[in-house]
Amino acid sequence: MPRTSRFKSSLRCALLACAGLLPLSAAHAAGTLTIATVNNGDMVIMQKLSSEFEKQHPDIHLKWVVLEENVLRQRVTTDIATKAGQFDVLTIGNYEVPLWAKQKWLAPVKPDAAYDVDDLLPTVRKDLTVDGALYALPFYAESDMTYYRKDLFTKAGITMPAHPTYAQLAEYADKITDKTNQVYGICLRGKPGWGENMAFLTATVHAFGGQWFDASWKPTLDTPEWKAALTWYVDVMKKDGPPGAASNGFNENLALFASGHCGIWVDSTVAGGLLFDPKQSQVADKVGFTAAPSGTFANAPSWLWIWSLAIPASSKNVDDATTFITWATSKAYVDLVAKSNGWVAAPAGTRNSTYANPDYQKAAPFAGFVRDAIEHSNPDGQTKAPRAYTGAQFADIPQFQAIGTQVGQSVAALLTTSQTVDSMLSSSDRAVTRVMRQSGLLH
Amino acid sequence: MTPARKAALSRAALTIIGWGVALWVFFPILWMAMTGFKSEIDAVSTPPKFFFHPTLASYHEVFERANYWHFAINSIVISVLGTIVALLFSVPCAYAMAFSPTKRTRGTLLWMLSTKMLPPVGVLVPIYILARNAGLLDTRTGLVIVYVLMNLPITVWMLFTFFKEVPREILEAGRMDGATRLGEVWHVLLPLSLPGVASTALLSLILSWNESFWSLNLTSSNAAPLPSFIASFSSPEGLFFGKLSAASTLAVAPILVFGWLSQKQLVRGLTFGAVK
């Protein structure tokens, strides 16, 4: 075939093929729920078990959009802020719930009596309630705790106290560090981000008596409390942390600890289930756990993160969405997970009934500890000096995502450059002040 | 050393360097493919494992949790359609600029290129609202329109460069034989610059296939292409590198095979006019 004819026939074929494939409006059919969620283990189980929900409710069809946490946050924020109505159910945290509820972006949730809303842990329920109305139902909740390697502690002749201090952790980390065998005394979040290194450091600063803003929204980064917290962090990370710590987030530290390279790790309680699982952890039989470290201010707000299911006000299927989220956070769902995946996989930190179950207590040795940590978490508690915001590992204002990430980048630079804590704090304080003035919160 | 031996040594050195560079470039893809066959613990082990017990667990999990073919078909439809529509616009545009330039042609070309310098996130909200109002969110049509707009500056520039290599006299000869403007493009210009057109189409196809920002932001389930499939296997809490690598390997496999099959055409097109 001559080249010209071949070209023409190829083009014709391609055009015809494409005409056949022409799309494709994607109107969301009534009875179809689009659920946006993250790829965490508990959500993956929910997705797998959702066929049971569809069997019980044949008129409701579920569509899943699973995305990485930050992508999901950007995606649903764009959608909800523009009222595009692409999603019927959102997986969001207790950072977003109060902010979005106040913006009237979320529909209030009114579960029926069978749901037993009084069974929810009070701290969890309170954090999802705005002006007396629930705006999301808790899927699972987490606080923070300290994980350590019992074998390394025994070898070094150390006993981990029930309530360690930051100073003690630094001392122990130094004793068990064995860099020649790639065992690092302590692993902490170093990856910059408001939900990464700044989640850990915000809780640390609160424990050292510091805070992000005072009662009149004036940033208080350039203070001795911040300096003490960051100096502790930078010293211990440089001395006993793993190499490349500035790029380690939750997952990287989980991988390091699970493969035997960390002696101590302070992070979310959700890591317990992963570290005690021999399929995911090479040190499953050597993991010990204790309370998150305490600092100079004893009653600092403590870490609480709640992955919850909410319904955007722009959804056209609020009733069906309510049916789904009450199912996915119900006692019956917890039982269903236990039946299909074992009690150790049951969603943690949300219901009293889960913790009262002897099978769960037996399957999850850390269960009681996690319950105590969540029940005693006080994210809305007071810092040493009065503060204008709420939150333990974040400041619950829309500006915090930008502020936290910007300061987080400067903190990460402390680990990789010779910049001093003093100069970093002073420049960060100026930058945060600028943002707060622009936002109108600081006059 | 004899000149023949010198030449042989130099050829051997060049071969080693060539293989070294090729391996260097290919290594991330190889590592990704290997990681897809590791268990999650092996995937994150320190030091990294080159020898491991291969498992299909990650692939099994990926296929169990997501409908790969739904995403793959969306990718194929959107990138092929986007490429064809981009060519339909850019061929007449490049023809006009190459053979009937005005004093504003260069400025127009530079302006078109400058649109590529704007970070996409800067126009996310306006485009999202436009797509919402036009009912194009989560539709293949919406994504095709965005990809066409995204790729037009590149396809116009490439075709303009290739068309400039075609002697004007050949087109004039066609015109003297009675060819219309359309006939001149169809029967003379396009067949003469076929390697260039093919490589432009291939590049546009690859760019559309790999694009992730708009596909993640403008689609949710119905029209989601393979980048959304990959993104669904990253997790903030839990080990996921094995599954993510398996998903990524599945996502790049079709375009890798396509690139392999069409590499002759691609190289020919990219070197078109380089040697006269």
Side-chain angles (χ1 to χ4, degrees):
Chain A
M1 195 189 280
R3 204 159 64 161
T4 316
S5 312
R6 204 166 53 209
F7 174 76
K8 279 195 280 189
S9 58
S10 315
L11 190 60
R12 268 192 219 113
C13 284
L15 282 172
L16 277 172
C18 290
L21 293 169
L22 257 172
L24 356 173
S25 169
H28 288 247
T32 297
L33 294 180
T34 305
I35 302 162
T37 192
V38 289
N39 184 33
N40 293 357
D42 292 75
M43 284 70 164
V44 171
I45 293 173
M46 171 170 63
Q47 196 181 346
K48 282 180 183 165
L49 295 178
S50 63
S51 55
E52 290 293 321
F53 173 82
E54 286 178 302
K55 262 189 228 161
Q56 290 167 23
H57 303 87
D59 51 333
I60 304 176
H61 175 59
L62 306 178
K63 278 190 174 175
W64 294 87
V65 180
V66 185
L67 291 169
E68 192 273 324
E69 182 180 357
N70 290 326
V71 177
L72 179 96
R73 191 169 276 118
Q74 181 199 313
R75 180 77 183 79
V76 297
T77 307
T78 309
D79 193 77
I80 208 165
T82 57
K83 297 185 172 60
Q86 285 283 292
F87 303 108
D88 300 301
V89 175
L90 308 172
T91 309
I92 51 178
N94 49 328
Y95 169 73
E96 288 91 359
V97 172
L99 296 175
W100 290 9
K102 280 175 197 156
Q103 295 280 345
K104 302 198 185 306
W105 288 351
L106 299 178
V109 188
K110 291 169 191 146
D112 56 22
Y115 182 77
D116 193 5
V117 80
D118 293 329
D119 186 41
L120 298 177
L121 296 184
T123 41
V124 171
R125 184 175 166 187
K126 185 175 163 228
D127 239 36
L128 302 178
T129 301
V130 178
D131 298 331
L134 259 179
Y135 278 87
L137 298 181
F139 187 59
Y140 74 87
E142 53 195 65
S143 186
D144 63 344
M145 63 200 269
T146 304
Y147 304 94
Y148 66 99
R149 285 272 301 280
K150 288 189 287 189
D151 56 325
L152 297 179
F153 270 64
T154 307
K155 197 173 148 194
I158 315 165
T159 306
M160 178 66 98
H163 294 280
T165 64
Y166 282 92
Q168 282 173 321
L169 288 194
E171 182 195 329
Y172 302 156
D174 202 34
K175 280 187 182 161
I176 57 178
T177 294
D178 178 7
K179 288 188 179 174
T180 50
N181 287 315
Q182 292 185 312
V183 174
Y184 304 97
I186 195 161
C187 294
L188 301 171
R189 295 186 184 191
K191 187 189 275 184
W194 72 274
E196 286 282 5
N197 61 349
M198 292 320 292
F200 173 78
L201 280 168
T202 300
T204 303
V205 166
H206 288 156
F208 274 79
Q211 62 211 69
W212 276 92
F213 313 101
D214 67 12
S216 58
W217 291 109
K218 187 180 177 308
T220 52
L221 278 77
D222 202 1
T223 52
E225 290 81 10
W226 268 83
K227 187 182 173 186
L230 282 194
T231 304
W232 175 87
Y233 172 78
V234 172
D235 285 352
V236 76
M237 288 286 266
K238 281 190 171 173
K239 205 170 169 196
D240 300 308
S247 52
N248 290 350
F250 175 91
N251 275 326
E252 289 78 8
N253 284 330
L254 170 66
L256 281 169
F257 198 101
S259 55
H261 294 288
C262 292
I264 301 169
W265 179 30
V266 183
D267 215 301
S268 162
T269 50
V270 79
L274 306 166
L275 290 178
F276 279 92
D277 178 1
K279 281 187 210 150
Q280 303 193 61
S281 166
Q282 290 167 358
V283 293
D285 56 338
K286 302 183 183 96
V287 183
F289 56 86
T290 189
S294 54
T296 48
F297 178 57
N299 298 315
S302 56
W303 185 304
L304 179 63
W305 183 257
I306 310 163
W307 278 116
S308 49
L309 300 175
I311 304 167
S314 54
S315 167
K316 293 170 189 77
N317 301 304
V318 173
D319 290 342
D320 286 349
T322 305
T323 307
F324 175 75
I325 67 170
T326 47
W327 172 82
T329 58
S330 65
K331 283 189 243 181
Y333 175 78
V334 174
D335 289 340
L336 184 65
V337 174
K339 207 188 287 177
S340 63
N341 291 59
W343 271 103
V344 73
T350 57
R351 286 188 168 271
N352 282 312
S353 52
T354 308
Y355 288 97
N357 189 307
D359 291 331
Y360 182 60
Q361 291 167 7
K362 205 167 131 192
F366 45 85
F369 186 89
V370 172
R371 179 193 185 157
D372 281 351
I374 290 172
E375 277 197 323
H376 294 106
S377 65
N378 58 338
D380 302 339
Q382 201 42 269
T383 42
K384 192 174 173 187
R387 61 174 181 166
Y389 62 95
T390 57
Q393 75 279 20
F394 52 77
D396 210 356
I397 53 171
Q399 294 79 7
F400 185 71
Q401 287 192 45
I403 289 170
T405 300
Q406 191 180 354
V407 175
Q409 284 162 349
S410 304
V411 171
L414 288 176
L415 300 177
T416 53
T417 66
S418 56
Q419 195 187 4
T420 63
V421 170
D422 280 324
S423 72
M424 176 260 150
L425 283 176
S426 142
S427 60
S428 294
D429 195 274
R430 283 196 301 274
V432 175
T433 303
R434 239 182 347 258
V435 175
M436 294 307 283
R437 280 196 201 287
Q438 284 164 0
S439 72
L441 283 170
L442 178 65
H443 302 289
Chain B
M1 195 184 287
T2 63
R5 194 169 163 71
K6 234 181 193 174
L9 269 175
S10 143
R11 259 201 313 276
L14 280 175
T15 306
I16 291 167
I17 292 170
W19 273 102
V21 171
L23 276 176
W24 180 259
V25 171
F26 184 66
F27 184 75
I29 296 169
L30 175 72
W31 190 252
M32 176 184 77
M34 282 169 66
T35 307
F37 292 102
K38 291 179 183 177
S39 65
E40 290 294 359
I41 277 284
D42 282 347
V44 295
S45 67
T46 314
K49 282 188 179 173
F50 280 87
F51 301 100
F52 55 91
H53 185 69
T55 169
L56 285 172
S58 293
Y59 282 91
H60 180 74
E61 177 89 12
V62 164
F63 277 110
E64 191 187 33
R65 272 175 41 196
N67 182 355
Y68 169 74
W69 295 109
H70 168 74
F71 293 96
I73 289 169
N74 278 340
S75 269
I76 292 168
V77 172
I78 292 164
S79 47
V80 169
L81 262 178
T83 300
I84 290 174
V85 178
L87 286 181
L88 286 177
F89 279 105
S90 51
V91 166
C93 186
Y95 168 78
M97 287 177 167
F99 297 105
S100 310
T102 68
K103 58 180 179 180
R104 296 190 202 285
T105 298
R106 186 146 292 275
T108 310
L109 276 168
L110 283 172
W111 168 76
M112 286 180 77
L113 203 62
S114 72
T115 59
K116 294 295 292 174
M117 295 168 194
L118 178 74
V121 73
V123 289
L124 171 63
V125 173
I127 288 191
Y128 198 88
I129 291 173
L130 283 172
R132 180 198 67 181
N133 293 349
L136 290 174
L137 281 176
D138 200 22
T139 64
R140 294 171 183 166
T141 314
L143 219 49
V144 166
I145 292 171
V146 171
Y147 284 3
V148 168
L149 294 171
M150 185 184 80
N151 287 342
L152 264 179
I154 291 170
T155 53
V156 169
W157 257 96
M158 281 184 76
L159 289 175
F160 170 76
T161 317
F162 292 130
F163 288 173
K164 287 281 275 182
E165 298 297 327
V166 176
R168 185 184 288 267
E169 292 75 15
I170 296 179
L171 296 185
E172 282 169 1
R175 219 171 296 160
M176 285 180 77
D177 285 343
T180 59
R181 186 78 75 179
L182 192 64
E184 184 184 313
V185 173
W186 190 250
H187 295 291
V188 183
L189 180 64
L190 287 179
L192 275 175
S193 48
L194 191 58
V197 176
S199 61
T200 306
L202 281 172
L203 192 71
S204 168
L205 195 75
I206 291 167
L207 288 174
S208 303
W209 189 277
N210 291 337
E211 200 285 327
S212 64
F213 180 80
W214 292 113
S215 60
L216 285 173
N217 280 291
L218 296 181
T219 67
S220 47
S221 55
N222 294 328
L226 284 166
S228 306
F229 170 75
I230 298 176
S232 67
F233 289 97
S234 168
S235 168
E237 288 178 352
L239 301 181
F240 61 87
F241 290 103
K243 290 185 275 290
L244 184 68
S245 300
S248 304
T249 307
L250 286 170
V252 300
I255 201 77
L256 216 64
V257 172
F258 185 70
W260 183 272
L261 293 176
S262 56
Q263 60 174 322
K264 200 172 150 193
Q265 194 69 270
L266 191 64
V267 172
R268 210 170 130 207
L270 292 174
T271 55
F272 181 65
V275 183
K276 287 191 180 173

